[in-house]
Amino acid sequence: MALPQLSDADRKAALKKAVETRQKRAQLKAKIKKGNVSLSEVLNKSSDPIVGRMKVLDLLNSLPGIGKVRSQKIMEQLKISSTRRIAGLGSRQKEQLTKELA
C-alpha cells in the first residue's frame, strides 16, 4: 500500500499534532514521576489516545522508584510484551500490574 501524498500544509499540520501529542505524553510522565498521578488512574484512562498509545514499559519507567531493569523484570514476570501499549492491556494484565506495584 502506497503512502498518501500530503501537501506541505497537511504535513505541517500532522507534524504539529505529533509534537503536541509527545508533549502531552511527556507532561503525563512527569506527573507520574512526581507522584501526582497514580498507576491505577493511568490504567483507567486507557481509552484516552494520549494514555492509550503510551507503551507500558514507558509507564513503568516513569513510576518513582522503578528503573529500566526492574520494569523489564516486571514485564517478563507478568508475560507482557515489551512493545505492548496501555490500550492493548487486558483487564487481568491491568489487575496484575496494579497488584504487583501496590
Side-chain angles (χ1 to χ4, degrees), residues 6-89:
L6 298 175
S7 68
D8 286 340
D10 290 340
R11 193 172 294 114
K12 286 180 183 179
L15 181 62
K16 183 179 178 182
K17 183 178 176 183
V19 168
E20 289 173 359
T21 300
R22 284 193 295 271
Q23 288 173 344
K24 288 179 183 177
R25 203 168 285 133
Q27 290 171 354
L28 176 63
K29 289 179 189 179
K31 287 180 184 178
I32 294 168
K33 191 69 142 178
K34 291 179 184 176
N36 297 339
V37 179
S38 70
L39 174 68
S40 58
E41 288 176 310
V42 175
L43 293 177
N44 290 335
K45 293 182 180 179
S46 62
S47 60
D48 178 11
I50 302 296
V51 175
R53 292 185 183 143
M54 182 190 300
K55 290 188 177 184
V56 177
L57 195 57
D58 290 340
L59 170 65
L60 294 179
N61 288 335
S62 298
L63 291 170
I66 297 182
K68 291 182 180 182
V69 174
R70 185 167 177 218
S71 60
Q72 287 176 343
K73 286 182 181 180
I74 291 170
M75 297 280 285
E76 289 173 8
Q77 179 183 358
L78 300 178
K79 296 183 174 103
I80 299 174
S81 172
S82 62
T83 59
R84 176 73 63 195
R85 298 190 184 272
I86 294 173
L89 288 175

Side-chain angles (χ1 to χ4, degrees), residues 78 80 91-101:
L78 300 178
I80 299 174
S91 59
R92 285 187 189 161
Q93 291 173 323
K94 289 179 184 179
E95 288 175 18
Q96 289 174 334
L97 271 174
T98 306
K99 185 177 178 182
E100 181 73 25
L101 299 169

